[in-house]
Amino acid sequence: MIIKMSSAASDAEIAHVVERVKECGCQPNISRGVEYIIIGAVGSPDMRIQLEALRAAPGVEDVIPITHPFKLVSRQYKQGRSVVRVGPVSIGDGEVVVIAGPCSVESRAQLLLTAHAVRDAGANMLRGGAYKPRTSPYDFQGLGVEGLQFLKMAREETGLPVVTEVLSTEDVEIVAEYADMLQVGARNMQNFSLLRCLAKLQRPILLKRGPSATIKEWLLAAEYLLAGGNSDVVLCERGIKTFETETRNTLDLSAVALAKELSHLPVIVDPSHATGRRSLVPSLSKAAIAVGADGLIIEVHPEPERALSDGPQSLDLEGFATLMRHLEEPAAKLARTDAVAA
Ligand code: PEP
Ligand code: MN
Protein backbone atom coordinates (compact mmCIF):
# COMPACT_ATOMS: atom_id res chain seq x y z
CA MET A 1 0.00 0.00 0.00
CA ILE A 2 1.04 3.58 -0.62
CA ILE A 3 -0.02 6.06 2.02
CA LYS A 4 -0.03 9.52 0.53
CA MET A 5 0.33 12.34 3.06
CA SER A 6 0.32 16.07 2.48
CA SER A 7 3.79 17.62 2.62
CA ALA A 8 2.27 19.91 5.26
CA ALA A 9 1.62 16.92 7.57
CA SER A 10 3.22 17.42 10.97
CA ASP A 11 6.01 15.21 12.34
CA ALA A 12 3.54 13.81 14.87
CA GLU A 13 1.04 12.90 12.13
CA ILE A 14 3.77 11.15 10.13
CA ALA A 15 5.03 9.34 13.22
CA HIS A 16 1.50 8.15 13.96
CA VAL A 17 1.12 6.65 10.46
CA VAL A 18 4.56 5.02 10.65
CA GLU A 19 3.61 3.51 13.99
CA ARG A 20 0.32 2.11 12.63
CA VAL A 21 2.13 0.65 9.61
CA LYS A 22 4.52 -1.14 11.97
CA GLU A 23 1.64 -2.37 14.14
CA CYS A 24 0.16 -3.91 10.98
CA GLY A 25 3.39 -5.91 10.59
CA CYS A 26 4.63 -3.86 7.61
CA GLN A 27 7.92 -2.13 7.04
CA PRO A 28 7.39 1.60 6.38
CA ASN A 29 9.46 3.37 3.75
CA ILE A 30 9.19 7.15 3.71
CA SER A 31 10.00 9.29 0.66
CA ARG A 32 9.47 13.03 0.75
CA GLY A 33 8.45 14.83 -2.44
CA VAL A 34 7.62 18.52 -2.88
CA GLU A 35 3.84 18.03 -2.83
CA TYR A 36 3.45 14.76 -0.96
CA ILE A 37 5.08 12.51 1.56
CA ILE A 38 4.73 8.91 0.45
CA ILE A 39 4.86 6.11 2.99
CA GLY A 40 5.18 2.68 1.40
CA ALA A 41 3.92 -0.30 3.39
CA VAL A 42 4.35 -3.86 2.23
CA GLY A 43 3.28 -6.86 4.24
CA SER A 44 0.58 -9.45 4.45
CA PRO A 45 -2.48 -8.83 2.22
CA ASP A 46 -4.59 -9.53 5.36
CA MET A 47 -3.57 -6.10 6.65
CA ARG A 48 -5.07 -4.31 3.67
CA ILE A 49 -8.28 -3.29 5.45
CA GLN A 50 -6.44 -1.93 8.48
CA LEU A 51 -4.06 0.05 6.27
CA GLU A 52 -6.96 1.40 4.22
CA ALA A 53 -8.49 2.70 7.46
CA LEU A 54 -5.52 5.07 7.70
CA ARG A 55 -7.39 7.24 5.18
CA ALA A 56 -9.09 8.68 8.25
CA ALA A 57 -5.81 9.57 9.98
CA PRO A 58 -4.83 13.25 10.19
CA GLY A 59 -2.52 14.37 7.37
CA VAL A 60 -3.36 11.37 5.15
CA GLU A 61 -4.75 12.25 1.72
CA ASP A 62 -5.12 8.78 0.21
CA VAL A 63 -4.24 5.11 0.58
CA ILE A 64 -3.53 3.44 -2.74
CA PRO A 65 -2.83 -0.24 -3.39
CA ILE A 66 0.41 -1.13 -5.26
CA THR A 67 -0.94 -2.75 -8.40
CA HIS A 68 2.21 -4.60 -9.47
CA PRO A 69 3.04 -8.05 -8.07
CA PHE A 70 6.49 -6.67 -7.24
CA LYS A 71 6.17 -4.04 -4.54
CA LEU A 72 9.41 -2.76 -3.01
CA VAL A 73 11.17 -2.54 -6.39
CA SER A 74 8.31 -0.64 -8.01
CA ARG A 75 8.25 3.06 -8.72
CA GLN A 76 4.83 3.18 -7.11
CA TYR A 77 6.53 2.31 -3.84
CA LYS A 78 9.52 4.62 -4.10
CA GLN A 79 9.59 7.99 -5.80
CA GLY A 80 12.80 8.95 -7.54
CA ARG A 81 15.63 6.66 -8.54
CA SER A 82 17.84 4.50 -6.37
CA VAL A 83 21.57 4.98 -6.51
CA VAL A 84 23.66 1.94 -5.61
CA ARG A 85 27.13 2.65 -4.22
CA VAL A 86 29.95 0.21 -4.79
CA GLY A 87 32.96 1.67 -2.98
CA PRO A 88 33.58 5.05 -4.62
CA VAL A 89 31.36 4.24 -7.64
CA SER A 90 27.69 5.31 -7.80
CA ILE A 91 25.41 3.38 -10.15
CA GLY A 92 22.20 5.13 -11.16
CA ASP A 93 23.13 8.76 -10.53
CA GLY A 94 23.01 9.79 -14.22
CA GLU A 95 26.60 8.95 -15.19
CA VAL A 96 27.14 5.80 -17.25
CA VAL A 97 29.21 3.35 -15.20
CA VAL A 98 31.45 0.97 -17.16
CA ILE A 99 32.39 -2.38 -15.64
CA ALA A 100 35.01 -4.27 -17.64
CA GLY A 101 37.24 -7.30 -17.36
CA PRO A 102 37.62 -10.89 -18.43
CA CYS A 103 34.84 -13.44 -18.45
CA SER A 104 37.00 -15.69 -16.24
CA VAL A 105 39.92 -14.90 -14.00
CA GLU A 106 42.55 -17.16 -15.58
CA SER A 107 45.82 -16.12 -13.95
CA ARG A 108 47.32 -13.34 -11.88
CA ALA A 109 49.12 -11.92 -14.91
CA GLN A 110 46.02 -12.01 -17.15
CA LEU A 111 43.85 -10.29 -14.56
CA LEU A 112 46.33 -7.59 -13.54
CA LEU A 113 47.18 -6.73 -17.13
CA THR A 114 43.47 -6.42 -17.98
CA ALA A 115 42.64 -4.50 -14.80
CA HIS A 116 45.32 -1.86 -15.44
CA ALA A 117 44.33 -1.52 -19.09
CA VAL A 118 40.61 -1.10 -18.45
CA ARG A 119 41.27 1.34 -15.61
CA ASP A 120 43.55 3.41 -17.85
CA ALA A 121 40.89 3.39 -20.58
CA GLY A 122 38.34 4.81 -18.13
CA ALA A 123 36.45 1.81 -16.70
CA ASN A 124 34.91 2.40 -13.27
CA MET A 125 34.83 -1.19 -12.02
CA LEU A 126 36.49 -4.55 -12.71
CA ARG A 127 34.64 -7.79 -13.50
CA GLY A 128 35.99 -11.34 -13.56
CA GLY A 129 34.52 -14.73 -12.77
CA ALA A 130 36.21 -17.00 -10.23
CA TYR A 131 33.26 -19.42 -10.08
CA LYS A 132 31.97 -20.02 -13.60
CA PRO A 133 28.55 -21.36 -14.59
CA ARG A 134 29.50 -23.42 -17.66
CA THR A 135 27.09 -25.22 -19.91
CA SER A 136 29.44 -28.20 -20.14
CA PRO A 137 31.02 -29.83 -17.07
CA TYR A 138 34.18 -30.37 -19.16
CA ASP A 139 34.76 -26.65 -19.67
CA PHE A 140 36.91 -24.44 -17.43
CA GLN A 141 35.05 -23.99 -14.15
CA GLY A 142 37.03 -21.08 -12.73
CA LEU A 143 39.93 -20.73 -10.28
CA GLY A 144 37.71 -20.47 -7.19
CA VAL A 145 39.34 -18.90 -4.13
CA GLU A 146 42.61 -18.31 -5.99
CA GLY A 147 40.64 -16.26 -8.53
CA LEU A 148 39.11 -14.23 -5.72
CA GLN A 149 42.59 -13.53 -4.36
CA PHE A 150 43.71 -12.24 -7.76
CA LEU A 151 40.63 -10.00 -7.89
CA LYS A 152 41.56 -8.57 -4.51
CA MET A 153 45.11 -7.91 -5.73
CA ALA A 154 43.73 -6.18 -8.82
CA ARG A 155 41.51 -3.96 -6.68
CA GLU A 156 44.46 -3.05 -4.45
CA GLU A 157 46.63 -2.20 -7.45
CA THR A 158 44.07 -0.28 -9.52
CA GLY A 159 41.55 1.02 -6.98
CA LEU A 160 38.72 -0.44 -9.09
CA PRO A 161 35.91 -2.07 -7.10
CA VAL A 162 35.33 -5.67 -8.10
CA VAL A 163 32.21 -7.58 -9.10
CA THR A 164 32.25 -11.37 -9.36
CA GLU A 165 29.65 -14.10 -9.61
CA VAL A 166 28.52 -16.26 -6.72
CA LEU A 167 27.11 -19.59 -7.86
CA SER A 168 25.77 -21.12 -4.69
CA THR A 169 24.80 -20.39 -1.11
CA GLU A 170 27.89 -22.28 0.14
CA ASP A 171 30.18 -19.77 -1.55
CA VAL A 172 28.43 -16.57 -0.43
CA GLU A 173 30.61 -16.05 2.64
CA ILE A 174 33.94 -16.49 0.85
CA VAL A 175 32.92 -14.43 -2.20
CA ALA A 176 31.66 -11.63 0.06
CA GLU A 177 35.03 -11.63 1.80
CA TYR A 178 36.74 -10.59 -1.44
CA ALA A 179 34.20 -8.89 -3.70
CA ASP A 180 32.74 -5.38 -3.52
CA MET A 181 29.62 -6.46 -5.42
CA LEU A 182 28.22 -9.98 -5.92
CA GLN A 183 26.78 -11.05 -9.25
CA VAL A 184 23.80 -13.39 -9.54
CA GLY A 185 24.22 -14.92 -12.97
CA ALA A 186 21.46 -15.34 -15.51
CA ARG A 187 21.15 -19.06 -14.81
CA ASN A 188 20.68 -18.38 -11.11
CA MET A 189 18.17 -15.54 -11.33
CA GLN A 190 15.46 -17.69 -9.79
CA ASN A 191 17.67 -19.56 -7.34
CA PHE A 192 15.50 -18.46 -4.45
CA SER A 193 17.68 -19.86 -1.67
CA LEU A 194 20.65 -17.95 -3.10
CA LEU A 195 18.55 -14.78 -3.34
CA ARG A 196 17.36 -15.17 0.26
CA CYS A 197 20.92 -15.67 1.43
CA LEU A 198 22.18 -12.59 -0.47
CA ALA A 199 19.29 -10.53 0.89
CA LYS A 200 20.84 -10.83 4.34
CA LEU A 201 24.20 -9.57 3.12
CA GLN A 202 25.16 -5.92 3.43
CA ARG A 203 26.72 -5.92 -0.03
CA PRO A 204 25.46 -4.65 -3.41
CA ILE A 205 24.10 -7.26 -5.82
CA LEU A 206 24.18 -7.32 -9.63
CA LEU A 207 21.13 -9.32 -10.68
CA LYS A 208 21.25 -10.59 -14.24
CA ARG A 209 18.05 -11.34 -16.09
CA GLY A 210 17.54 -15.04 -16.80
CA PRO A 211 17.74 -15.96 -20.51
CA SER A 212 14.08 -17.02 -20.48
CA ALA A 213 12.76 -14.80 -17.71
CA THR A 214 10.00 -12.29 -18.26
CA ILE A 215 10.50 -8.75 -17.01
CA LYS A 216 8.01 -9.48 -14.24
CA GLU A 217 9.95 -12.57 -13.12
CA TRP A 218 13.18 -10.56 -13.16
CA LEU A 219 11.68 -7.80 -11.00
CA LEU A 220 10.18 -10.40 -8.66
CA ALA A 221 13.64 -11.94 -8.27
CA ALA A 222 14.88 -8.47 -7.26
CA GLU A 223 11.91 -8.24 -4.88
CA TYR A 224 13.33 -11.27 -2.98
CA LEU A 225 16.49 -9.26 -2.29
CA LEU A 226 14.68 -6.10 -1.20
CA ALA A 227 12.07 -7.97 0.83
CA GLY A 228 14.87 -9.82 2.62
CA GLY A 229 16.58 -6.55 3.57
CA ASN A 230 19.05 -5.74 0.78
CA SER A 231 18.01 -2.79 -1.36
CA ASP A 232 21.40 -2.30 -3.03
CA VAL A 233 20.41 -4.07 -6.22
CA VAL A 234 21.40 -3.30 -9.81
CA LEU A 235 19.49 -5.04 -12.61
CA CYS A 236 21.37 -6.30 -15.68
CA GLU A 237 19.84 -7.13 -19.07
CA ARG A 238 22.14 -9.63 -20.81
CA GLY A 239 20.04 -10.89 -23.68
CA ILE A 240 17.26 -13.43 -23.84
CA LYS A 241 16.65 -16.60 -25.79
CA THR A 242 14.73 -16.10 -29.03
CA PHE A 243 14.48 -18.04 -32.31
CA GLU A 244 17.53 -16.17 -33.60
CA THR A 245 20.74 -18.18 -33.70
CA GLU A 246 23.12 -15.73 -35.40
CA THR A 247 23.61 -13.93 -32.11
CA ARG A 248 24.17 -15.77 -28.83
CA ASN A 249 21.10 -14.11 -27.30
CA THR A 250 18.85 -11.21 -28.28
CA LEU A 251 19.47 -7.96 -26.43
CA ASP A 252 16.08 -6.83 -25.15
CA LEU A 253 16.46 -3.06 -25.16
CA SER A 254 12.78 -2.52 -24.50
CA ALA A 255 13.26 -4.43 -21.24
CA VAL A 256 15.86 -1.86 -20.21
CA ALA A 257 13.50 1.04 -20.86
CA LEU A 258 10.56 -0.76 -19.25
CA ALA A 259 12.49 -1.91 -16.19
CA LYS A 260 13.43 1.73 -15.62
CA GLU A 261 9.81 2.75 -16.02
CA LEU A 262 8.54 0.10 -13.60
CA SER A 263 11.34 0.14 -11.06
CA HIS A 264 13.49 2.69 -9.23
CA LEU A 265 16.49 0.33 -9.37
CA PRO A 266 19.43 1.09 -11.69
CA VAL A 267 19.61 -1.01 -14.87
CA ILE A 268 22.79 -1.87 -16.76
CA VAL A 269 23.40 -3.79 -19.98
CA ASP A 270 25.78 -6.62 -20.85
CA PRO A 271 26.31 -6.38 -24.63
CA SER A 272 28.93 -9.17 -24.54
CA HIS A 273 26.69 -12.03 -23.44
CA ALA A 274 23.75 -10.49 -25.29
CA THR A 275 25.43 -10.85 -28.67
CA GLY A 276 28.28 -13.34 -28.29
CA ARG A 277 30.08 -11.35 -30.99
CA ARG A 278 32.88 -8.88 -30.35
CA SER A 279 31.99 -6.86 -33.46
CA LEU A 280 28.52 -6.02 -32.11
CA VAL A 281 29.62 -4.90 -28.65
CA PRO A 282 30.36 -1.23 -29.55
CA SER A 283 27.08 -0.55 -31.36
CA LEU A 284 24.96 -2.23 -28.72
CA SER A 285 26.84 -0.40 -25.97
CA LYS A 286 25.80 2.88 -27.60
CA ALA A 287 22.24 1.63 -28.09
CA ALA A 288 22.07 0.69 -24.40
CA ILE A 289 23.18 4.17 -23.37
CA ALA A 290 20.68 5.75 -25.76
CA VAL A 291 17.84 3.78 -24.22
CA GLY A 292 18.76 4.97 -20.73
CA ALA A 293 20.96 2.22 -19.27
CA ASP A 294 22.85 3.30 -16.16
CA GLY A 295 25.92 1.34 -17.14
CA LEU A 296 27.57 -1.39 -19.16
CA ILE A 297 29.36 -4.59 -18.24
CA ILE A 298 31.80 -5.60 -20.97
CA GLU A 299 34.10 -8.60 -21.35
CA VAL A 300 37.72 -7.72 -22.12
CA HIS A 301 40.67 -10.09 -22.54
CA PRO A 302 44.32 -9.34 -23.44
CA GLU A 303 44.31 -12.25 -25.92
CA PRO A 304 40.69 -13.16 -26.72
CA GLU A 305 41.73 -16.05 -28.98
CA ARG A 306 43.37 -17.71 -25.96
CA ALA A 307 40.54 -17.00 -23.50
CA LEU A 308 39.34 -19.99 -21.46
CA SER A 309 35.75 -18.73 -21.77
CA ASP A 310 33.82 -16.35 -24.02
CA GLY A 311 36.76 -15.33 -26.26
CA PRO A 312 34.58 -14.61 -29.34
CA GLN A 313 32.64 -11.92 -27.47
CA SER A 314 35.60 -10.39 -25.62
CA LEU A 315 37.16 -7.13 -26.76
CA ASP A 316 40.94 -6.93 -26.69
CA LEU A 317 42.59 -4.15 -24.70
CA GLU A 318 42.86 -1.83 -27.65
CA GLY A 319 39.28 -2.54 -28.77
CA PHE A 320 38.06 -1.61 -25.31
CA ALA A 321 40.07 1.64 -25.25
CA THR A 322 38.63 2.57 -28.65
CA LEU A 323 35.09 1.85 -27.46
CA MET A 324 35.60 4.02 -24.39
CA ARG A 325 36.71 6.91 -26.60
CA HIS A 326 33.61 6.47 -28.77
CA LEU A 327 31.36 6.48 -25.73
CA GLU A 328 32.71 9.93 -24.90
CA GLU A 329 31.62 11.30 -28.28
CA PRO A 330 28.80 13.84 -28.29
CA ALA A 331 26.39 11.52 -30.14
CA ALA A 332 26.52 8.95 -27.34
CA LYS A 333 26.21 11.67 -24.72
CA LEU A 334 23.34 13.37 -26.53
CA ALA A 335 21.44 10.13 -26.74
CA ARG A 336 21.93 9.74 -23.00
CA THR A 337 20.68 13.25 -22.25
CA ASP A 338 17.53 12.62 -24.27
CA ALA A 339 16.90 9.33 -22.51
CA VAL A 340 17.27 10.96 -19.11
CA ALA A 341 15.10 13.94 -20.00
CA ALA A 342 12.25 11.85 -21.42
C1 PEP B 1 29.26 -13.78 -16.93
O1 PEP B 1 29.01 -12.60 -16.60
O2 PEP B 1 30.39 -14.19 -17.19
C2 PEP B 1 28.12 -14.69 -17.13
C3 PEP B 1 28.28 -16.00 -17.02
O3 PEP B 1 26.98 -14.05 -17.45
P1 PEP B 1 25.48 -14.60 -17.61
O4 PEP B 1 25.10 -15.10 -16.25
O5 PEP B 1 24.73 -13.39 -18.04
O6 PEP B 1 25.50 -15.68 -18.63
MN1 MN C 1 31.23 -14.67 -19.91
Side-chain angles (χ1 to χ4, degrees), residues 44-72:
S44 156
D46 305 345
M47 289 301 158
R48 189 177 166 152
I49 302 203
Q50 268 126 311
L51 288 171
E52 273 176 351
L54 275 171
R55 264 200 198 99
V60 173
E61 300 215 341
D62 206 357
V63 179
I64 309 152
I66 300 175
T67 48
H68 297 299
F70 42 88
K71 309 287 179 194
L72 304 175

Short mmCIF file of all heavy atoms in Angstrom, two decimals, residues 44-72:
data_model
loop_
_atom_site.label_atom_id
_atom_site.label_comp_id
_atom_site.label_asym_id
_atom_site.label_seq_id
_atom_site.Cartn_x
_atom_site.Cartn_y
_atom_site.Cartn_z
N SER A 44 1.61 -8.47 4.77
CA SER A 44 0.58 -9.45 4.45
C SER A 44 -0.66 -8.78 3.85
O SER A 44 -1.11 -7.74 4.32
CB SER A 44 0.21 -10.19 5.74
OG SER A 44 -1.07 -10.70 5.61
N PRO A 45 -1.26 -9.40 2.80
CA PRO A 45 -2.48 -8.83 2.22
C PRO A 45 -3.62 -8.74 3.24
O PRO A 45 -4.54 -7.95 3.10
CB PRO A 45 -2.84 -9.81 1.09
CG PRO A 45 -1.65 -10.69 0.91
CD PRO A 45 -0.82 -10.62 2.15
N ASP A 46 -3.54 -9.56 4.33
CA ASP A 46 -4.59 -9.53 5.36
C ASP A 46 -4.69 -8.15 6.02
O ASP A 46 -5.70 -7.81 6.62
CB ASP A 46 -4.26 -10.53 6.50
CG ASP A 46 -4.06 -11.92 5.94
OD1 ASP A 46 -4.43 -12.14 4.78
OD2 ASP A 46 -3.51 -12.76 6.67
N MET A 47 -3.61 -7.39 5.96
CA MET A 47 -3.57 -6.10 6.65
C MET A 47 -4.18 -4.98 5.81
O MET A 47 -4.22 -3.83 6.23
CB MET A 47 -2.11 -5.74 6.99
CG MET A 47 -1.56 -6.60 8.07
SD MET A 47 -2.58 -6.40 9.54
CE MET A 47 -2.18 -7.90 10.41
N ARG A 48 -4.61 -5.32 4.61
CA ARG A 48 -5.07 -4.31 3.67
C ARG A 48 -6.17 -3.41 4.26
O ARG A 48 -6.11 -2.19 4.17
CB ARG A 48 -5.58 -5.03 2.42
CG ARG A 48 -5.89 -4.10 1.31
CD ARG A 48 -6.31 -4.84 0.08
NE ARG A 48 -6.91 -3.85 -0.81
CZ ARG A 48 -6.93 -3.93 -2.11
NH1 ARG A 48 -6.41 -4.98 -2.69
NH2 ARG A 48 -7.46 -3.00 -2.84
N ILE A 49 -7.14 -4.06 4.93
CA ILE A 49 -8.28 -3.29 5.45
C ILE A 49 -7.83 -2.32 6.53
O ILE A 49 -8.20 -1.14 6.53
CB ILE A 49 -9.37 -4.26 5.97
CG1 ILE A 49 -9.74 -5.15 4.79
CG2 ILE A 49 -10.54 -3.50 6.60
CD1 ILE A 49 -11.05 -5.79 4.79
N GLN A 50 -6.92 -2.82 7.42
CA GLN A 50 -6.44 -1.93 8.48
C GLN A 50 -5.65 -0.75 7.91
O GLN A 50 -5.78 0.36 8.37
CB GLN A 50 -5.53 -2.70 9.44
CG GLN A 50 -6.29 -3.27 10.61
CD GLN A 50 -6.02 -4.76 10.70
OE1 GLN A 50 -6.13 -5.46 9.68
NE2 GLN A 50 -5.68 -5.24 11.87
N LEU A 51 -4.84 -1.04 6.88
CA LEU A 51 -4.06 0.05 6.27
C LEU A 51 -4.98 1.04 5.56
O LEU A 51 -4.78 2.25 5.63
CB LEU A 51 -3.01 -0.51 5.30
CG LEU A 51 -1.83 -1.22 5.95
CD1 LEU A 51 -0.98 -1.93 4.90
CD2 LEU A 51 -0.96 -0.26 6.75
N GLU A 52 -6.02 0.50 4.92
CA GLU A 52 -6.96 1.40 4.22
C GLU A 52 -7.65 2.34 5.20
O GLU A 52 -7.98 3.48 4.87
CB GLU A 52 -7.98 0.60 3.42
CG GLU A 52 -7.43 0.29 2.03
CD GLU A 52 -8.34 -0.60 1.20
OE1 GLU A 52 -9.33 -1.13 1.74
OE2 GLU A 52 -8.03 -0.76 0.01
N ALA A 53 -7.82 1.87 6.44
CA ALA A 53 -8.49 2.70 7.46
C ALA A 53 -7.65 3.94 7.79
O ALA A 53 -8.17 4.92 8.33
CB ALA A 53 -8.73 1.87 8.71
N LEU A 54 -6.38 3.90 7.43
CA LEU A 54 -5.52 5.07 7.70
C LEU A 54 -5.94 6.30 6.89
O LEU A 54 -5.46 7.40 7.15
CB LEU A 54 -4.05 4.73 7.40
CG LEU A 54 -3.29 4.04 8.53
CD1 LEU A 54 -1.93 3.57 8.05
CD2 LEU A 54 -3.12 4.98 9.70
N ARG A 55 -6.84 6.09 5.93
CA ARG A 55 -7.39 7.24 5.18
C ARG A 55 -7.97 8.28 6.13
O ARG A 55 -7.99 9.46 5.83
CB ARG A 55 -8.52 6.76 4.27
CG ARG A 55 -8.04 6.50 2.91
CD ARG A 55 -9.14 6.49 1.86
NE ARG A 55 -8.61 5.81 0.71
CZ ARG A 55 -8.84 4.54 0.41
NH1 ARG A 55 -9.65 3.84 1.14
NH2 ARG A 55 -8.26 3.99 -0.62
N ALA A 56 -8.44 7.78 7.29
CA ALA A 56 -9.09 8.68 8.25
C ALA A 56 -8.07 9.39 9.16
O ALA A 56 -8.43 10.29 9.92
CB ALA A 56 -10.07 7.88 9.10
N ALA A 57 -6.80 8.98 9.07
CA ALA A 57 -5.81 9.57 9.98
C ALA A 57 -5.45 10.99 9.55
O ALA A 57 -5.42 11.29 8.36
CB ALA A 57 -4.55 8.69 10.01
N PRO A 58 -5.17 11.87 10.54
CA PRO A 58 -4.83 13.25 10.19
C PRO A 58 -3.59 13.33 9.30
O PRO A 58 -2.62 12.60 9.52
CB PRO A 58 -4.54 13.91 11.55
CG PRO A 58 -5.00 12.97 12.58
CD PRO A 58 -5.16 11.62 11.98
N GLY A 59 -3.66 14.17 8.28
CA GLY A 59 -2.52 14.37 7.37
C GLY A 59 -2.52 13.43 6.18
O GLY A 59 -1.80 13.63 5.21
N VAL A 60 -3.35 12.36 6.25
CA VAL A 60 -3.36 11.37 5.15
C VAL A 60 -4.34 11.82 4.07
O VAL A 60 -5.49 12.16 4.37
CB VAL A 60 -3.74 9.97 5.67
CG1 VAL A 60 -3.91 8.99 4.51
CG2 VAL A 60 -2.67 9.46 6.63
N GLU A 61 -3.87 11.84 2.82
CA GLU A 61 -4.75 12.25 1.72
C GLU A 61 -5.36 11.05 1.01
O GLU A 61 -6.48 11.11 0.53
CB GLU A 61 -3.95 13.08 0.71
CG GLU A 61 -3.38 14.32 1.37
CD GLU A 61 -3.35 15.52 0.46
OE1 GLU A 61 -3.44 15.34 -0.76
OE2 GLU A 61 -3.22 16.64 0.99
N ASP A 62 -4.58 9.94 0.91
CA ASP A 62 -5.12 8.78 0.21
C ASP A 62 -4.32 7.54 0.58
O ASP A 62 -3.15 7.63 0.99
CB ASP A 62 -5.03 9.03 -1.31
CG ASP A 62 -6.08 8.23 -2.08
OD1 ASP A 62 -6.82 7.45 -1.44
OD2 ASP A 62 -6.15 8.37 -3.31
N VAL A 63 -4.94 6.40 0.42
CA VAL A 63 -4.24 5.11 0.58
C VAL A 63 -4.49 4.32 -0.70
O VAL A 63 -5.63 4.07 -1.06
CB VAL A 63 -4.76 4.34 1.82
CG1 VAL A 63 -4.04 3.00 1.96
CG2 VAL A 63 -4.57 5.18 3.09
N ILE A 64 -3.39 4.02 -1.39
CA ILE A 64 -3.53 3.44 -2.74
C ILE A 64 -2.84 2.07 -2.78
O ILE A 64 -1.68 1.95 -2.34
CB ILE A 64 -2.84 4.37 -3.77
CG1 ILE A 64 -3.34 5.81 -3.59
CG2 ILE A 64 -3.02 3.90 -5.20
CD1 ILE A 64 -2.35 6.87 -4.02
N PRO A 65 -3.52 1.06 -3.30
CA PRO A 65 -2.83 -0.24 -3.39
C PRO A 65 -1.72 -0.22 -4.46
O PRO A 65 -1.85 0.50 -5.45
CB PRO A 65 -3.93 -1.21 -3.79
CG PRO A 65 -5.10 -0.40 -4.19
CD PRO A 65 -4.89 1.03 -3.80
N ILE A 66 -0.64 -0.97 -4.23
CA ILE A 66 0.41 -1.13 -5.26
C ILE A 66 -0.11 -2.20 -6.21
O ILE A 66 -0.35 -3.33 -5.80
CB ILE A 66 1.77 -1.54 -4.64
CG1 ILE A 66 2.23 -0.48 -3.64
CG2 ILE A 66 2.83 -1.74 -5.73
CD1 ILE A 66 3.51 -0.82 -2.88
N THR A 67 -0.27 -1.83 -7.47
CA THR A 67 -0.94 -2.75 -8.40
C THR A 67 -0.02 -3.84 -8.94
O THR A 67 -0.48 -4.88 -9.38
CB THR A 67 -1.55 -1.96 -9.57
OG1 THR A 67 -0.56 -1.07 -10.07
CG2 THR A 67 -2.75 -1.16 -9.12
N HIS A 68 1.30 -3.59 -8.93
CA HIS A 68 2.21 -4.60 -9.47
C HIS A 68 2.41 -5.74 -8.48
O HIS A 68 2.34 -5.53 -7.27
CB HIS A 68 3.58 -3.97 -9.76
CG HIS A 68 3.52 -2.90 -10.80
ND1 HIS A 68 3.11 -3.15 -12.09
CD2 HIS A 68 3.84 -1.59 -10.75
CE1 HIS A 68 3.16 -2.03 -12.77
NE2 HIS A 68 3.60 -1.06 -12.00
N PRO A 69 2.74 -6.95 -9.00
CA PRO A 69 3.04 -8.05 -8.07
C PRO A 69 4.35 -7.80 -7.32
O PRO A 69 4.54 -8.25 -6.20
CB PRO A 69 3.16 -9.27 -8.98
CG PRO A 69 3.40 -8.74 -10.36
CD PRO A 69 2.77 -7.38 -10.40
N PHE A 70 5.26 -7.06 -7.95
CA PHE A 70 6.49 -6.67 -7.24
C PHE A 70 6.16 -5.34 -6.56
O PHE A 70 5.46 -4.50 -7.12
CB PHE A 70 7.68 -6.54 -8.21
CG PHE A 70 7.32 -5.87 -9.50
CD1 PHE A 70 7.38 -4.50 -9.63
CD2 PHE A 70 6.90 -6.62 -10.60
CE1 PHE A 70 7.03 -3.87 -10.81
CE2 PHE A 70 6.54 -6.01 -11.79
CZ PHE A 70 6.61 -4.62 -11.89
N LYS A 71 6.60 -5.20 -5.34
CA LYS A 71 6.17 -4.04 -4.54
C LYS A 71 7.35 -3.10 -4.25
O LYS A 71 7.37 -1.96 -4.70
CB LYS A 71 5.58 -4.51 -3.20
CG LYS A 71 4.52 -5.60 -3.33
CD LYS A 71 3.22 -5.08 -3.87
CE LYS A 71 2.19 -6.19 -4.02
NZ LYS A 71 1.05 -5.80 -4.83
N LEU A 72 8.32 -3.62 -3.48
CA LEU A 72 9.41 -2.76 -3.01
C LEU A 72 10.28 -2.24 -4.16
O LEU A 72 10.90 -1.19 -4.06
CB LEU A 72 10.31 -3.52 -2.03
CG LEU A 72 9.59 -4.11 -0.82
CD1 LEU A 72 10.56 -4.94 0.02
CD2 LEU A 72 9.00 -3.00 0.04
#
